[in-house]
Amino acid sequence: MSDRSDRPLSDRALGMHRNITRRDFLNGVALTAGAAMMPWHLFAAGDIDPEKSPDYYPPARTGLRGSHAGSFDAAHSLRDGTFWDAAGAPQDTGETYDLVIVGGGISGLSAAHFYRKTAGANARILILDNHDDFGGHAKRNEFQVGKRTLLGYGGTYSIESPEPYSAVAKGVIEELGIEVSSFPKYLDRDLYGSIGRVPKIFFDKETFGSDKLVDDPCPFPGGETYDLAVAGPDAWAHFLAEAPIAEQARKDVSRLCREKKNYLPGLTADQQEARLARISYAHFLTEMAGVHADVIRLYQAISQPLFGVGIEAVAALDAAETGYPGFSGMDVGPEGLSNERKYFFHFPDGNASIARLLVRKLIPDAMPGNAVTDVVTARANYAKLDEKNSALRIRLNSTAVRVKHAGDPLKATEVEVAYARGGKVYTVRGKHTILACWNMMIPYLCEDLPEAQKEALAFATKVPLLYTNVLLRNSSAFQKLVANSVYAPGGYHTHVDLDLPVSIGEYRCSRTPDEPTVVHMSKSPCHAGRPARDQHTAGRIELYNTTFETMERKIREQLARTLGPGGFDPARDILAITVNRWPHGYAYEYSSLWDKFVLEGGETPCEKARKTFGRIAIANCDAGARAYTDEAINQAWRAVGELKS
Ligand SMILES: Cc1cc2nc3c(=O)[nH]c(=O)nc-3n(C[C@H](O)[C@H](O)[C@H](O)COP(=O)(O)OP(=O)(O)OC[C@H]3O[C@@H](n4cnc5c(N)ncnc54)[C@H](O)[C@@H]3O)c2cc1C
């Protein structure tokens, strides 16, 4: 990595010495400055309920978040077979519930909501989650600049799905008061256009021979920009003149994006689909569209935000259906819903607002306010989540480690759930249990499950992702460079976006270049050339083994090189960094390229995996092998419906 004078930027120039809210170190793992309040410190000091402290406020923590330190140790130790030796005998809390839910993501919260609707408001429900915050992947990042709060999404970005939302999922969204069709009211659609900011591509020296920011003439779905990813008026001229790739490659890009050509002439639509399902998008581009190798380098990462792998591991049919270039003259492609007709809503903290609205419904005292517009700025009261006298309790920092029927699974009237919290193990009992956690964890929890079901559950390994939010002093460099988003095929983070300008309730997004702003960066730690699931495994290990310090240096370098020509100074302009590390990110979605059963048919692993076992039902979006909020809700609905009466 180097600056424009070809010398590596020193740590000092990058601002690694700056006292931003970020890192301390514990066992080589970087923690935030807020780490002094991290639960394990409090647990260690003998505080059994850190959530009751008035300072307990996870959304404002910076540094390494997502699967944060302290959230996965018990689960990994269980996986490694070392947990029970070290744990000691569980202590019985004496607590009994109608329903114990493992997992406080949108699926677990929805399951509680559905159960209460049939069992009544007095039904006793306990939700356990291993993280210090609720919401699962739907996490909120807060930044404070003086008196102003700025928000970012730490995971789940929006209400949006390639499949239509089911009546059940829509029903929940409506019950929460979210009027999806009202989204345009909150979006300042013309803001970027009016200040002349457009999508860009950053060509890096290591991949393309020189560092250069060029207009993106044909921005693809997959970034986080809704319909604001509109190319600038001179984008094609700029790209064709300036992109540091072979002239033939530039022409090929123009042909792919602008010409309607059928690259499989003589085949029916079904035959085209069948052919494209069996080859990768990279193969399609090289062998059928005959593009120059530089086009592959340029497009390599366009699929990463959506699929978690590069174009060599994505089926050409999936690429066509997503709307990637090259298919407009063929009989395959996206359904082409216009944004007006799309079921889409983006809160400034993403679908964390859905999780927060669900919590408000379940435990009103924990989330002040009563409207969708005020939830965005509401400060959750974590002390209220787990109150002794409340019928519904959410217990954070608690990893379920064993879920077992009290007796014969076919006859038992209760399930015992053991969970680790603050270095100790406790048990509770429930008449029913819903596992709204991650499928691949379930075989370690439920030893009694049939082996074939355990195998099917274990198949659901997740897609690793990094969602980084960086608080900048202002966005003047974006303004000077006329950029609102940057695709960086060779970057550590491949996408750098200013969020959709959404103001809702009392929340005001950044509108002018001199205001502080949050820039969102995303990365899929993929390892091109291997089968998709092997890439995910390698990426997961990479994320667990990379220190925050390394990530911070890469973030600073990348922003310095991309925005430096616009006057950006990483040492001066970066005020805070929150890296949301998701080694277990998206639910794994089946691919015609890698999973034989997609083309051959038959029962899928998720169908085998989600079967209810005695009094234990399985929810979460792995149970539907779809990484979407609607699926998390659908599966919760199914699981609740399958509970034994
Ligand atoms: C970075 C990212 C971006 C995404 N963006 C979108 C998007 O824009 N739109 C969309 O629809 N979907 C998106 N998704 C998919 C997202 O996963 C779903 O939308 C949904 O939030 C999943 O909800 P869930 O409850 O099924 O799972 P999760 O959110 O994963 O919740 C499960 C919870 O169970 C916990 N858990 C696991 N094991 C245990 C245990 N043993 N004990 C206690 N707790 C346990 C987990 O830690 C987690 O907190 C995104 C996912 C990621 C990772």
Side-chain angles (χ1 to χ4, degrees):
M1 298 295 247
S2 58
D3 64 9
R4 273 163 292 149
S5 61
D6 266 10
R7 269 179 289 106
L9 289 169
S10 67
D11 275 4
R12 178 151 281 276
L14 289 172
M16 291 295 288
H17 62 295
R18 287 285 182 197
N19 186 24
I20 63 164
T21 49
R22 47 133 130 76
R23 58 179 193 275
D24 283 320
F25 290 90
L26 181 74
N27 298 332
V29 180
L31 306 175
T32 73
M37 295 315 301
M38 287 299 220
W40 50 96
H41 289 268
L42 293 170
F43 280 131
D47 183 341
I48 53 164
D49 284 328
E51 301 86 354
K52 301 286 183 205
S53 157
D55 297 329
Y56 187 91
Y57 195 63
R61 290 179 181 152
T62 54
L64 205 49
R65 300 291 297 152
S67 279
H68 56 78
S71 64
F72 50 84
D73 312 60
H76 286 183
S77 157
L78 199 63
R79 175 202 62 196
D80 298 340
T82 55
F83 180 81
W84 288 106
D85 286 343
Q91 298 173 26
D92 185 1
T93 59
E95 294 171 17
T96 57
Y97 295 90
D98 295 303
L99 174 65
V100 178
I101 298 172
V102 178
I106 287 179
S107 200
L109 296 168
S110 303
H113 170 65
F114 290 135
Y115 188 84
R116 273 225 311 206
K117 284 178 87 164
T118 46
N122 293 330
R124 288 183 49 75
I125 303 175
L126 173 69
I127 301 176
L128 297 168
D129 197 280
N130 57 316
H131 289 106
D132 59 13
D133 201 354
F134 56 80
H137 292 144
K139 282 284 182 342
R140 170 182 175 99
N141 291 168
E142 271 186 28
F143 297 97
Q144 203 63 37
V145 199
K147 287 192 175 154
R148 184 167 184 184
T149 302
L150 285 172
L151 297 175
Y153 51 101
T156 310
Y157 166 72
S158 65
I159 296 174
E160 188 182 25
S161 177
E163 307 283 329
Y165 264 47
S166 66
V168 165
K170 271 191 179 164
V172 170
I173 299 297
E174 282 160 19
E175 274 179 86
L176 295 177
I178 303 170
E179 215 182 294
V180 171
S181 61
S182 70
F183 177 65
K185 197 164 82 185
Y186 305 112
L187 174 70
D188 193 342
R189 178 184 292 272
D190 299 327
L191 179 67
Y192 292 147
S194 67
I195 52 181
R197 287 185 191 161
V198 295
K200 300 274 180 178
I201 302 170
F202 181 73
F203 292 89
D204 64 292
K205 190 160 83 75
E206 293 83 345
T207 316
F208 298 100
S210 63
D211 279 2
K212 207 159 188 184
L213 196 65
V214 176
D215 268 25
D216 188 344
C218 186
F220 309 123
E224 309 292 6
T225 40
Y226 187 55
D227 66 350
L228 302 189
V230 178
D234 304 323
W236 275 112
H238 194 237
F239 176 85
L240 290 169
E242 297 291 331
I245 52 176
E247 190 184 345
Q248 185 56 48
R250 280 179 257 157
K251 287 185 182 153
D252 286 343
V253 169
S254 172
R255 166 168 61 96
L256 279 176
C257 294
R258 299 205 273 190
E259 283 178 16
K260 284 186 187 296
K261 181 165 176 192
N262 186 349
Y263 293 102
L264 287 172
L267 298 191
T268 63
D270 285 351
Q271 287 166 334
Q272 288 180 20
E273 280 199 11
R275 182 86 186 91
L276 295 175
R278 289 169 172 80
I279 58 167
S280 72
Y281 182 45
H283 182 98
F284 166 82
L285 290 175
T286 311
E287 303 299 326
M288 294 179 182
V291 302
H292 189 278
D294 280 358
V295 179
I296 302 299
R297 270 189 280 279
L298 172 61
Y299 284 178
Q300 178 58 27
I302 59 170
S303 52
Q304 289 184 14
L306 207 54
F307 296 92
V309 282
I311 59 169
E312 92 296 345
V314 170
L317 183 59
D318 291 335
E321 288 174 349
T322 310
Y324 295 159
F327 303 99
S328 57
M330 301 180 63
D331 303 314
V332 292
E335 281 176 22
L337 278 186
S338 70
N339 278 313
E340 282 68 33
R341 284 183 51 220
K342 256 189 193 172
Y343 195 70
F344 181 96
F345 201 105
H346 170 67
F347 289 95
D349 62 358
N351 288 4
S353 276
I354 298 183
R356 286 156 56 84
L357 286 164
L358 279 164
V359 166
R360 179 186 275 172
K361 239 189 188 336
L362 299 170
I363 312 173
D365 285 353
M367 192 66 66
N370 49 29
V372 164
T373 43
D374 64 30
V375 83
V376 177
T377 43
R379 186 179 164 97
N381 184 348
Y382 286 83
K384 297 284 181 193
L385 290 178
D386 190 7
E387 295 261 83
K388 212 172 185 166
N389 297 328
S390 169
L392 208 146
R393 304 173 73 168
I394 299 176
R395 192 161 297 163
L396 300 172
N397 303 301
S398 301
T399 306
V401 288
R402 191 175 63 207
V403 178
K404 198 174 168 54
H405 286 94
D408 179 347
L410 296 178
K411 296 187 198 139
T413 54
E414 278 186 325
V415 180
E416 185 191 81
V417 179
Y419 63 92
R421 175 175 163 83
K424 298 208 170 73
V425 186
Y426 302 92
T427 59
V428 294
R429 286 189 170 217
K431 281 190 205 140
H432 300 108
T433 301
I434 290 182
L435 302 180
C437 53
W438 299 334
N439 267 13
M440 84 279 171
M441 174 87 203
I442 295 175
Y444 299 103
L445 300 180
C446 299
E447 288 191 347
D448 297 340
L449 282 175
E451 286 309 314
Q453 186 172 0
K454 283 191 193 170
E455 202 180 307
L457 285 158
F459 187 80
T461 50
K462 286 179 171 282
V463 178
L465 291 159
L466 213 56
Y467 266 27
T468 296
N469 285 316
V470 183
L471 176 67
L472 302 184
R473 203 166 57 93
N474 59 48
S475 64
S476 64
F478 282 89
Q479 177 65 27
K480 285 195 189 112
L481 297 168
V482 199
N484 68 25
S485 66
V486 180
Y487 165 55
Y492 183 72
H493 288 84
T494 55
H495 291 74
V496 180
D497 296 305
L498 293 174
D499 196 8
L500 290 177
V502 172
S503 296
I504 184 164
E506 294 194 346
Y507 184 77
R508 289 281 162 272
C509 66
S510 299
R511 299 192 78 259
T512 60
D514 56 339
E515 287 177 77
T517 196
V518 176
V519 63
H520 184 81
M521 306 171 77
S522 70
K523 169 187 175 64
S524 304
C526 32
H527 293 246
R530 305 189 203 175
R533 285 155 56 80
D534 293 354
Q535 294 197 40
H536 300 328
T537 305
R540 186 172 311 115
I541 294 168
E542 180 190 324
L543 290 193
Y544 276 125
N545 289 337
T546 308
T547 62
F548 179 75
E549 188 186 8
T550 299
M551 292 177 185
E552 179 182 353
R553 189 172 286 113
K554 287 188 180 295
I555 291 160
R556 287 176 176 277
E557 273 183 301
Q558 183 168 359
L559 290 178
R561 284 171 57 177
T562 310
L563 303 174
F568 181 82
D569 174 352
R572 181 194 61 204
D573 294 332
I574 292 177
L575 302 183
I577 300 174
T578 302
V579 174
N580 298 276
R581 170 181 65 173
W582 297 114
H584 303 282
Y586 293 155
Y588 177 68
E589 301 196 354
Y590 304 144
S591 158
S592 57
L593 210 52
W594 304 109
D595 304 307
K596 268 190 182 171
F597 51 82
V598 172
L599 296 172
E600 290 173 359
E603 200 179 24
T604 59
C606 73
E607 288 163 339
K608 290 181 201 158
R610 68 186 181 215
K611 295 199 160 77
T612 290
F613 177 65
R615 296 186 160 268
I616 303 170
I618 295 172
N620 99 72
C621 59
D622 288 342
R626 285 185 60 242
Y628 291 95
T629 293
D630 55 326
E631 193 62 30
I633 299 171
N634 293 340
Q635 293 301 331
W637 170 256
R638 180 196 48 73
V640 170
E642 287 178 6
L643 289 175
K644 260 188 182 179
S645 52

